[in-house]
């Protein structure tokens, strides 16, 4: 339960407010010191030259005070950003704690109204979908196998025809080369090749 969350949040807010207040007070003091040293420097420059030890010492003190002031202001900006981030996280955590507390209250109320609701609960397994008969699935597989083979064969034939770059006729040669075909040499059958080889040997 988040019963102790408000107290922790209050302590965190007080610590952050104290830190922010301390930093603002330090910045105010440094600004006052800077103005006071600047006034003393102006008075000293009316009496002494710029190279006098008192003037040089006041300038060094003013530079050191300004650096401390810049550091304090930078730290204050970072502290403000960190405070804003922590405040956002705290708000989110508080909302979640309230939501969880609401759910816990609902569960406790349910248990009070139904003391035997948990022990006497019956779990009913919903009926599963009807299983297919073995004979029907075998018939589907027997029909789907040849059909899938036919589709795969047609697909492979189409792919082969798509990537085939051979020229098979006189028209294709003239179309792609842009030149007239003078002679077409046909394909010899095995018998014709045998006769041609026999004639060349006898000659």
């Amino acid at each position: 339960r988040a019963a102790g969350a408000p107290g922790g949040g209050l302590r965190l807010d007080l610590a952050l407010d104290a830190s922010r207040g301390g930093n603002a007070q330090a910045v105010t003091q440094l600004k006052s010191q800077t103005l006071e040293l600047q006034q003393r420097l102006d008075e000293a420059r009316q009496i002494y030259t710029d190279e006098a030890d008192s003037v040089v010492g006041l300038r060094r003190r003013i530079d050191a005070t300004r650096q401390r002031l810049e550091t304090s202001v930078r730290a204050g900006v970072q502290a403000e950003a960190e405070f804003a981030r922590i405040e956002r996280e705290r708000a989110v955590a508080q909302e979640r704690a309230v939501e969880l507390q609401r759910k816990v209250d609902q569960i406790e109320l349910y248990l009070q109204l139904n003391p035997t609701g948990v022990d006497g609960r019956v779990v009913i397994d919903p009926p599963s979908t009807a299983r297919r008969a073995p004979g029907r699935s075998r018939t589907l597989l027997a029909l789907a196998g040849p059909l899938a083979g036919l589709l795969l064969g047609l697909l492979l034939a189409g792919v082969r025809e798509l990537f085939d770059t051979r020229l098979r006729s006189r028209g294709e040669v003239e179309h792609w080369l842009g030149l007239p075909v003078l002679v077409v040499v046909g394909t010899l059958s095995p018998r014709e090749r045998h006769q041609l080889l026999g004639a060349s040997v006898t000659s």
Side-chain angles (χ1 to χ4, degrees):
R1 299 200 179 202
L10 179 61
R11 287 194 295 271
L12 179 61
D13 291 341
L14 291 176
L16 291 174
D17 290 340
S19 177
R20 295 168 65 189
N23 186 73
Q25 185 177 3
V27 171
T28 303
Q29 290 179 357
L30 289 174
K31 286 182 179 179
S32 300
Q33 291 179 7
T34 304
L35 292 176
E36 182 181 355
L37 290 173
Q38 185 65 41
Q39 184 177 1
R40 291 173 58 184
L41 176 64
D42 294 338
E43 293 175 356
R45 292 180 62 186
Q46 293 178 1
I47 301 174
Y48 305 101
T49 60
D50 292 340
E51 290 77 12
D53 295 338
S54 58
V55 175
V56 174
L58 286 172
R59 284 180 176 175
R60 291 177 180 175
R61 292 181 61 184
I62 290 175
D63 292 339
T65 306
R66 285 178 178 174
Q67 290 180 359
R68 291 174 57 191
L69 179 61
E70 291 178 358
T71 303
S72 299
V73 171
R74 192 179 300 111
V77 172
Q78 294 177 355
E80 288 291 337
E82 185 69 15
F83 174 77
R85 183 186 66 82
I86 294 175
E87 182 65 24
R88 290 194 299 268
E89 292 180 356
R90 185 183 66 85
V92 172
Q94 186 173 1
E95 291 178 358
R96 181 164 180 80
V98 172
E99 181 68 19
L100 291 175
Q101 183 63 40
R102 185 179 64 83
K103 291 182 179 180
V104 168
D105 293 339
Q106 291 177 356
I107 293 173
E108 289 181 351
L109 179 61
Y110 174 79
L111 292 177
Q112 290 177 2
L113 296 177
N114 300 291
T116 60
V118 178
D119 297 334
R121 184 176 302 174
V122 178
V123 179
I124 301 175
D125 189 11
S128 60
T129 56
R131 298 180 180 178
R132 296 180 179 178
R136 186 177 179 183
S137 61
R138 290 178 182 176
T139 304
L140 290 176
L141 288 176
L143 293 177
L147 182 60
L150 178 61
L151 292 177
L152 182 59
L154 292 175
L155 179 62
L156 291 177
V159 171
R160 181 178 179 183
E161 186 68 23
L162 180 64
F163 290 99
D164 190 5
T165 58
R166 292 178 295 181
L167 302 177
R168 299 178 180 274
S169 64
R170 178 194 297 266
E172 291 182 355
V173 173
E174 292 179 350
H175 173 73
W176 290 106
L177 298 181
L179 299 174
V181 177
L182 301 178
V183 178
V184 177
V185 179
T187 303
L188 298 177
S189 63
R191 183 178 179 183
E192 291 174 346
R193 287 199 300 270
H194 182 68
Q195 291 178 355
L196 184 62
L197 289 175
S200 62
V201 170
T202 56
S203 62

